[in-house]
Each structure stands twice: as C-alpha cells, then as structure tokens.
C-alpha cells in the first residue's frame, strides 16, 4: 500500500511516499481504507526525534495517530461493525497511509464529513482529560493559552458547556474566532497578566496551556502558585515551574463510547470543529510545515482520494 514514511529523524523533507506492507488487524481492531487523517503537533515531535525517550519510533515510520475511513478488514472480537462501515478513531502504526489500523473507533455519522470527524479524537480526548485534571466546575474562570488551535477550539466549547467562563489567548487575527467559540479573547505575549486581570478581576481558577509558548510563568503569577495549571505543550516549562505536563494517564476518557458522543455532538451542531488547512496525502511534508508554523485556526488534515 501507499504510505508517507520517514527513515531518518529530521525536518519535513524526510517525509516521502513509499510502498509498505498492508497491515493486518488484531483483536478488537479494524483496518480502514483511509479517507482523512489528522495532522497533530505530536506527529512533528515524533518526526524530529523529540519523543524518542517516551515514544520511540521504529524506522521507517508512518506518522499519524488518528484517521477515518471505510472498514476493509475486521480483527477478532469486533462486533457491531461490518465491512464498508464508515468509522474514525485512533490508529496504531500510523495514519498517513492508504490503509490504517484503528484500535479505538466509532461509527461516523452520515452528517459528519471526514475532515471534521478526524478533528475529534485527539482534540476531544485531550480537552476532556485536562478539564478533568483541572476539576473545572460551573461558575469558575478558566484561562486557555492557544484557544484558536485544534485542541483549543474544542477545549473552549467543552469548558463553556461545563458552565465556566473562558478567557482564551490567541493572535490578533484569531480574536473574533475565539470569541465566536464562546470565550473572552485576549492577545498572548507581553502584558498578558495585566490584560487577564482586567478581564477577570475576581481571579483565574484554572489554566490550560495548549500553546506551549512560554506562558507558564504568567500563569503561575495569575494563579498565585502552580496549582490547577496543566500544560500539554511546554515540557521544559512544566519542569521549571512545577506544573503538570499531561499526555495521557488515568484521566483519559479514550473509548469508543466517548468518540461516539463527540461525533453525535459534532453532527448535531453542538460541537464545532474548524479545518484550518487541508492537504492531499502526497503533500504531507507541507502539512507538517503548516503545523510547525503555528497560529492555525483549527485542524490541519490530510485527505486521500
């Protein structure tokens, strides 16, 4: 089958198209003919070798952790699905490929397009996991750094649905977008502490750092300490400021049922996903360059004809 692979760690140019063996689904898994795959910051981190201590990539490696497509083969112990069903979920062994193995997956509603379906697994799981870790309650005020990105877009809406007031940081061009999600927008960068205090004179109850742009020091200042702050993007800052870095763990809601609930909300217009950019599979290197550039309004997606 066709796949995007890298055989050495490095920049986007190490990504190229190649023929690789067709994977076989194991117990509880399905093989799908891929229609779309999500592009995530973790894909870039794996490609450059930053994840080797925790997530060693065996080379050559196919990037990607989420995809959607039509079921092509079913492994043992899979019930409720038949060949040809449209599903989406988390992948094992890569997603930038003609076929992929999905390990935790759910049916894609007909009303939900492929690109929007693959915008749900990583962003939805990450948002729910961190909001659980923060123990966000109705009436509280949450500061989200990086509110316009794929995770930020979903996290804002989930927090608002919990009854929280959300202040979301973003660049100048994304201020109205963040406001449209239900948050109070503000610029990131110098003067952030003063801007947030003016918007929330009662104080900030919790902080979710999606961006990883060095905002943890300001977050600690605003919280008066490092309690109820979680980052998913600033490992060095988490060590320096004693802030938890979350990448999974017991708080994760990852399950077929959780995916199905996200799909139902999205299909019904109650959870908005935004596609920042869409690339054909053969332009995966350009897609990752776009991801590395940052400031994307929503999700970057690869599509396969």
């Amino acid at each position: 089958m066709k796949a995007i692979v890298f055989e050495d760690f490095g920049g986007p140019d190490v990504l190229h198209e190649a023929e690789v063996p067709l994977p076989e689904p194991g117990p509880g898994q399905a093989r799908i003919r891929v229609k779309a795959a999500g592009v995530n910051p973790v894909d870039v981190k794996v490609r450059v070798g930053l994840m080797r201590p925790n997530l060693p990539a065996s080379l050559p490696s196919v990037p990607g952790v989420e995809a959607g497509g039509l079921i092509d083969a079913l492994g043992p112990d899979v019930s409720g699905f038949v060949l040809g069903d449209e599903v989406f979920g988390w992948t094992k062994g890569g997603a930038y490929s003609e076929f992929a193995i999905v390990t935790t997956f759910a049916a894609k509603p007909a009303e939900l397009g492929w690109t929007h379906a693959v915008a749900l697994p990583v962003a939805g799981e990450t948002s729910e996991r961190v909001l659980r870790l923060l123990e966000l309650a109705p009436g509280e005020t949450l500061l989200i750094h990086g509110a316009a990105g794929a995770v930020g877009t979903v996290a804002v809406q989930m927090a608002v649905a919990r009854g929280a007031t959300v202040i979301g940081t973003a660049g100048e061009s994304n201020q109205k977008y963040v406001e449209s999600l239900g948050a109070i927008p503000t610029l990131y960068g110098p003067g952030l502490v003063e801007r947030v205090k003016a918007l929330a004179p009662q104080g900030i109850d919790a902080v979710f750092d999606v961006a990883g742009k060095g905002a943890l020091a300001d977050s600690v200042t605003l919280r008066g300490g490092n309690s109820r702050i979680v980052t998913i993007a600033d490992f060095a800052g988490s060590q320096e400021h004693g802030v938890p870095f979350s990448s999974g763990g017991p708080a994760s809601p990852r399950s077929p049922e959780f995916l199905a609930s996200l799909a139902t909300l999205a299909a019904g217009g109650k959870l908005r996903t935004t596609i920042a950019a869409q690339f054909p599979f053969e332009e995966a290197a350009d897609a990752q360059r776009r991801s590395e550039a940052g400031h994307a309004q929503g999700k970057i997606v690869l599509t396969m004809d």
Side-chain angles (χ1 to χ4, degrees):
M1 68 171 186
K2 294 187 297 183
I4 300 298
V5 306
F6 62 95
E7 292 154 347
D8 296 293
F9 297 110
D13 291 339
V14 301
L15 296 173
H16 64 93
E17 190 174 313
E19 288 287 330
V20 302
L22 188 69
E24 295 297 331
Q29 301 175 349
R31 185 175 69 210
I32 60 172
R33 179 181 289 274
V34 176
K35 301 295 288 185
V39 176
N40 293 286
V42 69
D43 302 348
V44 174
K45 293 177 181 177
V46 170
R47 188 203 74 221
V48 300
L50 292 178
M51 301 296 289
R52 276 182 283 181
N54 302 312
L55 186 65
S58 56
L59 301 176
S61 180
V62 178
V65 295
E66 59 186 347
L70 282 66
I71 292 180
D72 172 74
L74 290 167
D77 305 323
V78 177
S79 61
F81 294 94
V82 298
L83 300 186
D85 279 352
E86 298 183 344
V87 299
F88 72 105
W90 283 278
T91 62
K92 177 183 180 181
Y96 297 16
S97 52
E98 188 177 6
F99 295 89
I101 299 297
V102 285
T103 55
T104 304
F105 57 96
K108 181 188 77 65
E111 304 87 346
L112 189 63
W114 288 114
T115 57
H116 290 277
V118 300
L120 291 172
V122 169
E125 185 275 339
T126 303
S127 299
E128 179 66 22
R129 166 170 32 96
V130 173
L131 293 177
R132 288 181 182 181
L133 290 171
L134 292 172
E135 299 181 335
L136 188 68
E140 292 191 318
T141 300
L142 172 69
L143 174 62
I144 297 181
H145 299 298
V151 175
T153 290
V154 174
V156 167
Q157 295 172 83
M158 284 187 169
V160 170
R162 278 170 159 80
T165 296
V166 179
I167 296 174
T169 72
E172 182 67 47
S173 63
N174 286 325
Q175 294 292 294
K176 289 185 178 180
Y177 175 72
V178 170
E179 185 176 19
S180 75
L181 297 172
I184 302 169
T186 192
L187 295 170
Y188 57 78
L192 176 65
V193 170
E194 291 70 27
R195 288 192 296 277
V196 172
K197 284 183 176 180
L199 294 170
Q202 78 282 4
I204 297 296
D205 297 296
V207 181
F208 181 2
D209 175 32
V210 181
K213 302 292 185 181
L216 291 183
D218 285 346
S219 301
V220 170
T221 298
L222 286 163
R223 285 285 300 130
N226 58 10
S227 68
R228 298 189 73 189
I229 304 172
V230 173
T231 181
I232 63 166
D234 189 354
F235 183 75
S238 73
Q239 301 280 53
E240 179 181 355
H241 298 287
V243 170
F245 181 92
S246 178
S247 59
S252 175
R254 184 183 294 203
S255 69
E257 295 75 18
F258 178 68
L259 278 179
S261 70
L262 292 176
T264 298
L265 290 171
K270 295 181 179 179
L271 178 63
R272 173 180 170 187
T273 53
T274 300
I275 305 305
Q278 184 174 317
F279 295 83
F281 265 69
E282 57 268 22
E283 296 178 15
D286 289 335
Q288 287 203 0
R289 288 189 187 94
R290 179 70 180 85
S291 178
E292 286 180 285
H295 307 293
Q297 190 182 96
K299 188 77 173 183
I300 299 170
V301 177
L302 293 177
T303 57
M304 176 77 81
D305 291 334

